[in-house]
Amino acid sequence: MIRTATPDDLPAIAALHLQSWRTTYDGLLPADYLGAGAEAQLRAKWADLPRGTTLVAMQGDRLAGFISVNTGNPAYLDALHIAGFAQGGGLGPRLIAAAFAQIAAQGVTAAYLYIVDGNDGARRFYERLGAMETWRGPDPDYDFPSTAIRLDWRDISPLVGMAKAP
């Protein structure tokens, strides 16, 4: 079940986000950052619901995944994370489609995100969904050397259409 996130979801979102970063970025980002630094950053990030669209996917009472999109045109896909037990079942594309359907209803037509260089699995995933690299350079989010890659959807309507499909 995919639904709008509530403040009660924030601790589980922060925990999944941290676990996902520690798994995905092991070897890509410094280990000391993935320890206490990332934990503090994500705890602060998820202290309140962000502006925009944040959806959660639940399997029973467990958080299976979440997506957070900051609206603008283009919209910024800030976070998409799927719990290990729910990976590989198509939940990621369903969350993107549901979030993009909500922002499209507000007149948004395009979206983008940043990934850490070396996160090849994420890059393949987003490219399969039509995103294209438009920029690469120093990642301003970190105070250590890291390269960010910007991926853009110039037209989100094909993904919005996925949300409407039976």
Side-chain angles (χ1 to χ4, degrees), residues 137-163:
D139 194 325
D141 289 338
Y142 304 117
D143 59 358
F144 48 81
S146 178
T147 300
I149 298 172
R150 179 174 165 153
L151 301 172
D152 280 75
W153 288 275
R154 292 195 171 103
D155 177 8
I156 64 171
S157 63
L159 291 164
V160 171
M162 286 174 40

